[in-house]
Structures are given as structure tokens and as C-alpha cells.
Amino acid sequence: MEKIRMGVIGLGNRGRALTNCVILPARDVDITAVCDVYDDRVDAAAAEIKDKKGKEPFRTCSAGELLARTDVDAVLISCAWEDHIPLAVEAMKAGKAVALEVGGAYSIEDCFELVRTCEETRTPFMFMENCCFDRYELLATAMARHGLFGRVVHCEGAYSHDLREEVGYGDINRHYRLRNYINRNLENYPTHDLGPIAKLLGINRGNRMTGLVCGSTGSFGLHEYVCEKPELTYLKEVKFAQGDIFHTIITCENGETVLLRLDTTLPRFYTRNFTVRGTKGLYEMNTNSVFFDYMDGEKYWEPIDTYREIIDNAREYEEKYLPEMWKKVTPEQLKAGHGGMDWFEFDAFFTALREGGEMPVDVYDAAAWMAISCLSEQSIKNNGSYVEIPDFTRGKYKTRPLKDVTAL
Amino acid sequence: MEKIRMGVIGLGNRGRALTNCVILPARDVDITAVCDVYDDRVDAAAAEIKDKKGKEPFRTCSAGELLARTDVDAVLISCAWEDHIPLAVEAMKAGKAVALEVGGAYSIEDCFELVRTCEETRTPFMFMENCCFDRYELLATAMARHGLFGRVVHCEGAYSHDLREEVGYGDINRHYRLRNYINRNLENYPTHDLGPIAKLLGINRGNRMTGLVCGSTGSFGLHEYVCEKPELTYLKEVKFAQGDIFHTIITCENGETVLLRLDTTLPRFYTRNFTVRGTKGLYEMNTNSVFFDYMDGEKYWEPIDTYREIIDNAREYEEKYLPEMWKKVTPEQLKAGHGGMDWFEFDAFFTALREGGEMPVDVYDAAAWMAISCLSEQSIKNNGSYVEIPDFTRGKYKTRPLKDVTAL
């Protein structure tokens, strides 16, 4: 495969940003076809590609038409969440390698179908969870791999991102989040936090998630938000199903727990709060801290600022444990999207595709991580009852070796 | 009541510290009787009281004997957790006002008996949750009462305190935690975090906790700890029942959730992580932050240290919202225990007792908060299943007015 010929399905914010900043600048990659349900988006993307590369891609509003083309080797699926799995399945059946953008699943059967299709077609498939490639998640994972935290016992993370504007203006900006927030109540976006945690804990590789419970607040933030925007008062009578904050506690076969927080409709600064707790130490993104057994944890009656200074030393460890790709990150890579991680994840996809190697985030990861969404929905419907998480590897997790997304 | 004559039952670390630093220095309070199951503790406490006050208190190893005395108006119960409720009940039946130290309950029936006894005997009763009186919890609660956070939607807190030494050396220092960590697996200490949250959310006063789910890690930290201490190797074969980290999600009738973390057997710096989330802003102890709707939450691709500086301005609000008692706190009060809060809570107890006023943390609070322990145990036994939380007020919560521990 000299050049990878990509099709892009879904040209909203995410699809356009990846097209412009990551795929077009990538070496030996062409975009030969673009697709969106809205034709103005198709036209704009095609024009931009022509402008930058000199050659106009095939344009269509039908994903089926794009997938039927012989000049497409691989597709990025970055459309609305609802179509992620159906289109990934269709693409694999059409023999196209798949880069699937993140989101949650709508049913467990969908997750099984994704796995079955990938196993049957043996089509290269990668789940594009960019946070698996981010600086701090990889630093902490490297430190864990080097044993600095001892036996890892608990991890947590959050998708704390105020999306009230994106959701509230969903009709105007044609964003699928709005209909999801009106109709469903669940951990709808689990993978930015769960992805790197699952990699660290060896989920599907020696370990697996066995079950979860999920608790949700009522829905207050969005309603207040739309009531305060004159152009959104038409949504005043809408009863949003989606609560403001969700906590999901996942139990793992090897005795760890994972805590996830979804937190998108209240004011706050962004955080993913990636946290690793072990018998010998911790990494805590929220406080930018590492802490080890030999340090003094009893500084607790001093003002918080004071005792934080003592342990606010995570930077020391970057020199020793930060993966090479992050040490050598270039200004172009940093610029490509979300501070560099988008570049690294697509580079991993293109490299594995070219070399026929194993994808660093595979279909079992996709199924297990996306399944948290529909399972959390089920838990919430029953007051937060315990729900089992299926083993999508059907026992293979017991012997599959660890695979980090880069050397650590 | 000119002088309050106190008996102290339980003279371990906590009982001795309160005796020396809070009760003995209090104005118009005498300690007339002391009790512990270990007679050397009784002797030491009695000697110290005599040394400081000139008069030796009655000494006994029998709580019943202490409670039978006519020269005791009120008792502090600061013994092992197991005896908290039975002794509080016995004390109320003997007509002694009760200051009950914190801990969790062992059964729901115990909690109901505590409430019934208090209602029947009409004995003054206060649950001594000192964190309800602490600086940052009260600052955030005052800000919430002034509406700065809008509609409060979620609160969280933690008891993150590395107790491996206390627990591991429990046989040597005669600490009840050791037997509890060997035999039970539960949120065994919920009230330092839940107490101030419950006050803020108006639990038992217009709101109530309806149910919970609880997830626990396996037990790794203590075993590793005792294996590494030569004098504790006799505990090597002990299988500790207590997991390392517990998360409990509590749902409230008015739509809020409360997240509690118990985290006592892994290395980390102390935190209670008191957090208030509302439709207009947040307070977050872990990052020492406040954040409001009008601020820019999208600083998220900058290094964490950078964007934190923008919002690390909680101190601004102290001048405006910190309760008067904290603004005027004296060096003696600060010194009295846990940075001042112990002084304030006992002052509240003595004041209410003298004036016949309502206790700021009452028997309904005690029952509801302590109940989290045995309910979490039940949840964990069933994989983290949902467990209902009883209404110990039997409907009275609907009309009981808010009562903060101080003017806010």
C-alpha cells in the first residue's frame, strides 16, 4: 500500500477538523471520497481538499455509495453517534479498513455485531480514542508499567466538559447531542476517561470489566441554560432526559475498580482527572500530583495550597518516563488537534494499516468501552442496580498479552 | 446549669485529645468521671485531669457505673465504634445528655433505636461530626446559601486518610479499627465527608437520602504493608476483608447525588475533597477552586497548572462569606484540635445544652449518616446493588426547616 486512500464519513466539527489538520497533512495519505448527510458540508469539505491537494474527492450524501467505491482503502467514521456501529459494520463488510470515532453504544447486540463482523471479515479496525495517546495519560501509564505505583488498585477519570452551548444550540448547529440529551439518560461518552484506564489495567488483556453501577443527578443545567438564551426559549418546555452528572463504578476481575464521571451540563473548567492509585503511590491529574509511599501524607491540617506544593512534582518524572514520541513532539504535531494526541493516534492507525500490524486500540476495546453507555442506561433505569458487563473476547482476554499504544 | 459536669467514656487517642484540648479548657465545664475498658487509660486520664484541674474525677472501667452517677450531666462517648450506639442509648435512658463521637452503624435497627430512644427520653443529643464545623466546608456552604452556585445538583467528598499504620499496629495500640478491617468490608467511616454535605443539601430538612450503591476494590494495601513490617509479619496470613477504596453514590429525593470515597489503606496525602456543583458554579477543595458560569471553562489544552491559576481564587471569597466564628478564630481555638473545628463543635454542644436549644447536628442526622455504613455493606455483598435508605424522621423531614451549624 503506497498511498492510503481515505474516505471520510461525517463532516461535522470533528470530521472536518481531522480532515484538515490530521489526514490531509499526513504523509502518503489521500482523501478520495467525502460523505455527510448534509450536502453543504460535503461541498465545503470537498472544496477545501481540492484547495489544499489540487484534486477533488468524490462527494456523496450516501455512505453506501462511498463504501462501494474501489478508490477507497479505509474510512474514518466521524458521523453522529447513532450511526457509528452500523456504518463500521457496513464498512468492514465492504472490505474497508475502519477508523471509528468515539461515542457510546446504543445496544449490547450492536457491540457484539461489531466484534463478530471484525472477526469474520478480518478487516483492520481501530477505535480512535485519542486520549489513549495523550501526554499525561501516557506518562502515568509509563510510571505504572515501571512499577512506581506498586499494585494498581483503582483508577478514575472524568469527561468534565461544559457542553451546554453545543447541546443547547444543537438545532442550529445540527448537533446530534441535542436529541440524545432530550431522549436518553446515561453515561453517553465513557471512552475519553475509560480508554486510557482500560489500557493501563489490561482490560481484554489479562483482565476484564465484570460489572457496573451508575448513579445520575436530575436534569437541571440545560434547562436553566436554554431558559436564559432568548434564541433557545423554544426549548423551555422540553424535559431533558439527560441528568447533569453521572458516576459509574466499574468492577474488574482482578479486583480493581474504575470510577468514571460524565459531567457536561454544568459550569466548570475542563478536566479528565486521570487518576491511578496503587499500593505504592498515585498519580492524580486534577491536582497535578504524584505521591509515593515514602512521602508524608499527614500534612492535612495545613492549608491545601501549602501541602500541595510539597507534592506538586509530577514534572520531575516527565524526563524519565514520558514516551519518546512526546519528548520529540513537533510544533506541527502539537497543532494538529487536541494538543498533539490526534496526530499520534492517526499515525498509529496509518502505520498499523501500512505494515499490517495489530491496531493499538482494537475492536474488543471498542465493544467493551462503548458498551458502558447502554449498560449505564440500564443501571440508571433500575435505580443504579448492578449490571454485568459481557466479555466480548469470549475468554481470549485471559491469554492476550498487554499492548500499550506506544513503547512505555 | 451553672457548670456542665461531663463524663468521658472512651479514652483512646480521640477521647484523650478531646479531654485535654477541648473539654478541660472549656469555660464552666468539669470532667467528673472517666471510663475506659483499659484501666491504665483510666488512670492516665484521671491523673492528667487532677494535674490540670486539681480535682480527681471518678474512675471506672464500667460505662454502666459511670452512667449511674448523679454528678454527671452529660457524656462524651468516644469509645470503639461497636459500642457507640448501645452506649448512647444507655446514656439517654440514664438521663445523660450525649455527645456521640463519629463512626458508622452496624445495623439499621441500631439507628432506629438511637432515634426512638432520643424521641422517647427527650435527652439532648449531638452527633460530634467536627467536619461540619470546618473552615472550608462552612465557606462553601455559605457560598451555596448565598446562591453563588445556583441550584446545587451534586456534592462529593472523601475520607482519604492513610491509616495503614494505625490499623496495622492495631494490636499493639489497641485500636478497634484492626478487627473491623479484618472482618468487614464497607464504607466504615462515612460522616466526615457526608456530614457537611448533608447539612448543605438539607438532608432531614426538606430533602432526604433515598438510596445508595457502593463499589469496593479488593484488599491489597494493608496486606502489603504488614508484610513489609517485621513486627507485623504475624498478620501475613490474615485475609483482610476491607477493600482499599470505596465509592458510594447516594441519591437524594430532590434530584441531587452525593459521591463519597473511603480511602484509608493506600499511600496518599490527606483530603476530604469537599465539592459542591451547581447550575451556576462550583467549589472544589481538591483543587482549591471556585468556578462560575461567566468564567472560561475551555482552557483545557493548556497545561493543568496554567489553567488552574486562572481560577485558583477561592481566597477572595473568604472575606465575604467565611462565617464570623472563623474570621475571629483565636490561636487557642486553632490549637484545640484539628485546626479549630473541634473547639467550635464542642462550643456548639455546650451552648445548646446550657440554653436548652436545638442541637445543630441531631439524632436524625446521626442515624441517617451512620446508616450509610451498614447499607454500603449490604450493597457490596450484592455486587454493589441498590439499597434503600430509611427515613429516620418518619416524614418529618418534609417540613423541618434548614439548620446550619452557625450563621452563614
Side-chain angles (χ1 to χ4, degrees):
Chain A
M1 205 183 279
E2 254 180 45
K3 280 227 173 196
I4 296 170
R5 297 169 300 174
M6 288 286 292
V8 178
I9 304 176
L11 298 160
N13 287 337
R14 183 67 178 144
R16 282 299 292 285
L18 287 172
T19 299
N20 291 337
C21 306
V22 182
I23 306 176
L24 282 182
R27 205 161 34 84
D28 294 329
V29 178
D30 277 341
I31 298 179
T32 51
V34 290
C35 170
D36 196 282
V37 289
Y38 300 109
D39 55 9
D40 60 306
R41 288 184 178 172
V42 175
D43 292 344
E48 189 160 28
I49 291 163
K50 191 182 173 192
D51 187 45
K52 289 195 170 158
K53 292 283 212 168
K55 209 169 139 188
E56 184 149 326
F58 174 74
R59 44 172 106 183
T60 177
C61 290
S62 151
E65 211 172 38
L66 184 148
L67 293 173
R69 293 188 64 85
T70 55
D71 63 349
V72 170
D73 305 312
V75 288
L76 166 66
I77 297 173
S78 48
C79 58
W81 293 336
E82 292 91 338
D83 296 325
H84 277 195
I85 290 182
L87 285 178
V89 166
E90 204 179 326
M92 286 190 280
K93 286 182 175 166
K96 312 299 184 196
V98 171
L100 179 62
E101 252 305 325
V102 297
Y106 287 71
S107 81
I108 288 297
E109 174 46 28
D110 274 3
C111 299
F112 273 112
E113 198 189 355
L114 188 72
V115 168
R116 262 195 318 266
T117 308
C118 194
E119 287 177 343
E120 284 168 16
T121 63
R122 294 167 182 254
T123 315
F125 173 97
M126 181 167 153
F127 191 55
M128 305 307 279
E129 180 39 74
N130 56 0
C131 298
C132 289
F133 294 82
D134 209 7
R135 182 185 187 99
Y136 295 104
E137 280 86 346
L138 285 175
L139 171 63
T141 307
M143 292 171 71
R145 294 281 182 260
H146 284 88
L148 271 74
F149 306 127
R151 205 289 189 197
V152 174
V153 171
H154 172 77
C155 290
E156 63 189 81
Y159 185 63
S160 285
H161 190 185
D162 178 359
L163 297 173
R164 287 174 299 167
E165 186 177 336
E166 180 179 291
V167 179
Y169 288 86
D171 279 334
I172 294 150
N173 62 25
R174 300 181 296 197
H175 204 293
Y176 49 88
R177 270 200 170 95
L178 177 57
R179 60 177 179 264
N180 277 278
Y181 279 64
I182 290 174
N183 296 317
R184 305 176 76 207
N185 188 33
L186 73 169
E187 207 328 340
N188 63 24
Y189 208 57
T191 72
H192 279 343
D193 33 350
L194 177 56
I197 290 171
K199 295 301 288 184
L200 190 154
L201 291 176
I203 299 300
N204 295 329
R205 296 174 177 278
N207 198 359
R208 78 176 196 89
M209 301 184 286
T210 52
L212 64 79
V213 293
C214 183
S216 144
T217 70
S219 183
F220 302 101
L222 267 177
H223 176 73
E224 237 183 77
Y225 182 84
V226 300
C227 288
E228 286 166 5
K229 307 282 170 191
E231 62 275 32
L232 297 181
T233 48
Y234 78 99
L235 290 170
K236 243 168 88 168
E237 304 304 321
V238 166
K239 211 181 135 24
F240 291 96
Q242 181 77 357
D244 288 322
I245 297 190
F246 297 74
H247 284 94
T248 305
I249 307 168
I250 299 170
T251 42
C252 300
E253 189 170 272
N254 294 349
E256 308 87 351
T257 55
V258 176
L259 177 72
L260 306 180
R261 180 175 73 224
L262 178 75
D263 168 16
T264 59
T265 50
L266 296 174
R268 75 158 292 139
F269 53 97
Y270 181 97
T271 181
R272 289 203 301 276
N273 193 25
F274 188 73
T275 299
V276 183
R277 300 292 306 277
T279 54
K280 291 286 178 277
L282 68 80
Y283 173 87
E284 194 173 75
M285 187 186 273
N286 240 17
T287 53
N288 197 23
S289 303
V290 294
F291 184 87
F292 298 110
D293 212 5
Y294 55 83
M295 295 176 177
D296 179 5
E298 296 281 340
K299 300 274 172 205
Y300 50 105
W301 308 117
E302 297 172 32
I304 290 169
D305 276 353
T306 313
Y307 75 68
R308 278 206 61 246
E309 282 166 16
I310 302 170
I311 48 118
D312 192 2
N313 50 8
R315 280 172 208 292
E316 283 176 28
Y317 297 90
E318 294 203 357
E319 201 169 326
K320 214 161 168 183
Y321 299 106
L322 196 65
E324 279 307 302
M325 70 183 192
W326 271 108
K327 280 189 182 158
K328 295 177 183 157
V329 66
T330 65
E332 290 74 35
Q333 290 168 343
L334 285 171
K335 222 173 47 190
H338 293 124
M341 61 187 178
D342 290 355
W343 183 273
F344 290 132
E345 69 160 349
F346 273 82
D347 190 55
F349 174 73
F350 294 138
T351 302
L353 193 56
R354 233 175 234 121
E355 298 175 356
E358 196 183 358
M359 291 289 173
V361 185
D362 66 12
V363 76
Y364 302 109
D365 298 326
W369 305 353
M370 295 176 84
I372 301 306
S373 284
C374 44
L375 296 173
S376 73
E377 190 171 26
Q378 197 179 321
S379 174
I380 290 168
K381 274 183 186 152
N382 294 295
N383 278 325
S385 66
Y386 177 78
V387 180
E388 284 187 14
I389 302 175
D391 167 22
F392 294 99
T393 73
R394 296 193 313 282
K396 283 182 286 191
Y397 76 93
K398 291 183 186 169
T399 52
R400 299 177 82 219
L402 280 182
K403 181 171 176 58
D404 291 316
V405 302
T406 185
L408 292 176
Chain B
M1 207 184 278
E2 255 180 45
K3 279 228 175 195
I4 296 171
R5 297 169 301 174
M6 289 286 292
V8 178
I9 303 175
L11 298 161
N13 286 337
R14 184 66 179 147
R16 283 299 292 285
L18 287 172
T19 299
N20 291 338
C21 306
V22 182
I23 306 177
L24 282 183
R27 203 163 36 84
D28 293 330
V29 178
D30 277 343
I31 298 179
T32 50
V34 289
C35 170
D36 196 282
V37 289
Y38 300 109
D39 55 10
D40 59 306
R41 289 183 178 172
V42 175
D43 292 344
E48 190 160 29
I49 292 163
K50 189 181 176 195
D51 187 45
K52 287 194 174 161
K53 292 282 213 172
K55 208 170 140 190
E56 184 149 325
F58 174 73
R59 43 172 105 182
T60 176
C61 290
S62 150
E65 210 173 39
L66 184 147
L67 292 172
R69 294 187 64 85
T70 54
D71 62 350
V72 171
D73 306 311
V75 287
L76 165 66
I77 297 172
S78 48
C79 57
W81 294 335
E82 292 90 337
D83 296 325
H84 276 195
I85 291 183
L87 284 179
V89 165
E90 204 179 327
M92 286 189 281
K93 286 183 174 164
K96 311 300 182 196
V98 171
L100 179 61
E101 252 305 326
V102 297
Y106 287 72
S107 82
I108 288 297
E109 174 47 27
D110 275 2
C111 299
F112 273 112
E113 197 190 357
L114 188 71
V115 168
R116 261 195 319 267
T117 308
C118 194
E119 287 177 343
E120 284 168 16
T121 63
R122 294 168 181 254
T123 316
F125 173 97
M126 181 168 154
F127 190 56
M128 305 308 279
E129 181 37 74
N130 55 0
C131 298
C132 289
F133 293 82
D134 208 7
R135 182 184 186 99
Y136 295 104
E137 281 86 345
L138 284 174
L139 172 64
T141 306
M143 292 172 71
R145 293 282 181 259
H146 284 88
L148 272 74
F149 305 127
R151 204 289 190 199
V152 174
V153 171
H154 171 76
C155 290
E156 63 190 78
Y159 185 63
S160 285
H161 190 185
D162 178 359
L163 296 174
R164 288 173 298 167
E165 185 177 337
E166 179 178 293
V167 179
Y169 288 85
D171 279 334
I172 296 149
N173 61 25
R174 299 181 295 195
H175 204 292
Y176 50 88
R177 268 199 170 96
L178 177 57
R179 60 177 180 263
N180 277 277
Y181 279 64
I182 291 174
N183 296 316
R184 305 176 76 207
N185 188 31
L186 73 168
E187 207 329 339
N188 64 23
Y189 209 57
T191 71
H192 280 342
D193 33 351
L194 177 57
I197 291 172
K199 295 301 290 184
L200 191 155
L201 291 177
I203 299 301
N204 295 329
R205 297 174 177 278
N207 198 0
R208 79 176 196 90
M209 301 185 286
T210 52
L212 65 77
V213 293
C214 183
S216 144
T217 69
S219 183
F220 302 101
L222 266 178
H223 176 72
E224 236 183 79
Y225 182 84
V226 301
C227 288
E228 286 166 5
K229 307 281 169 191
E231 62 276 33
L232 298 181
T233 47
Y234 77 99
L235 289 170
K236 243 167 88 168
E237 303 303 322
V238 167
K239 210 180 137 22
F240 291 96
Q242 180 76 357
D244 287 323
I245 297 190
F246 297 75
H247 284 94
T248 305
I249 307 168
I250 299 169
T251 43
C252 300
E253 190 171 272
N254 295 348
E256 307 88 351
T257 53
V258 175
L259 177 72
L260 306 180
R261 180 173 74 225
L262 178 75
D263 169 15
T264 58
T265 51
L266 296 174
R268 75 158 291 141
F269 53 98
Y270 181 95
T271 180
R272 288 203 302 275
N273 192 26
F274 189 73
T275 298
V276 184
R277 300 293 306 277
T279 55
K280 291 286 178 275
L282 69 78
Y283 173 87
E284 194 172 76
M285 189 186 272
N286 240 15
T287 53
N288 198 22
S289 303
V290 294
F291 183 87
F292 298 109
D293 212 6
Y294 56 83
M295 295 176 176
D296 180 4
E298 296 281 340
K299 299 275 172 205
Y300 48 105
W301 307 118
E302 297 171 32
I304 289 169
D305 276 353
T306 313
Y307 75 69
R308 276 206 63 246
E309 280 166 18
I310 302 169
I311 46 116
D312 193 3
N313 49 7
R315 279 173 207 291
E316 283 176 29
Y317 297 91
E318 294 204 356
E319 201 169 326
K320 215 161 165 183
Y321 299 106
L322 196 65
E324 280 307 301
M325 69 184 192
W326 271 108
K327 281 189 183 160
K328 294 178 184 157
V329 66
T330 65
E332 291 73 35
Q333 290 168 344
L334 285 171
K335 222 174 46 191
H338 293 125
M341 60 188 180
D342 289 355
W343 182 274
F344 289 132
E345 69 160 351
F346 273 82
D347 190 54
F349 173 73
F350 294 138
T351 302
L353 193 57
R354 234 173 233 123
E355 298 174 356
E358 196 182 356
M359 291 288 172
V361 185
D362 65 12
V363 77
Y364 302 110
D365 297 328
W369 305 354
M370 295 176 84
I372 300 305
S373 284
C374 44
L375 296 173
S376 74
E377 189 171 28
Q378 198 179 321
S379 175
I380 290 168
K381 274 184 187 154
N382 294 294
N383 277 324
S385 66
Y386 177 78
V387 180
E388 285 187 14
I389 302 175
D391 166 23
F392 294 98
T393 73
R394 295 195 314 282
K396 283 182 284 190
Y397 76 94
K398 290 184 187 172
T399 51
R400 298 178 83 220
L402 279 182
K403 181 171 177 57
D404 290 315
V405 301
T406 185
L408 293 176

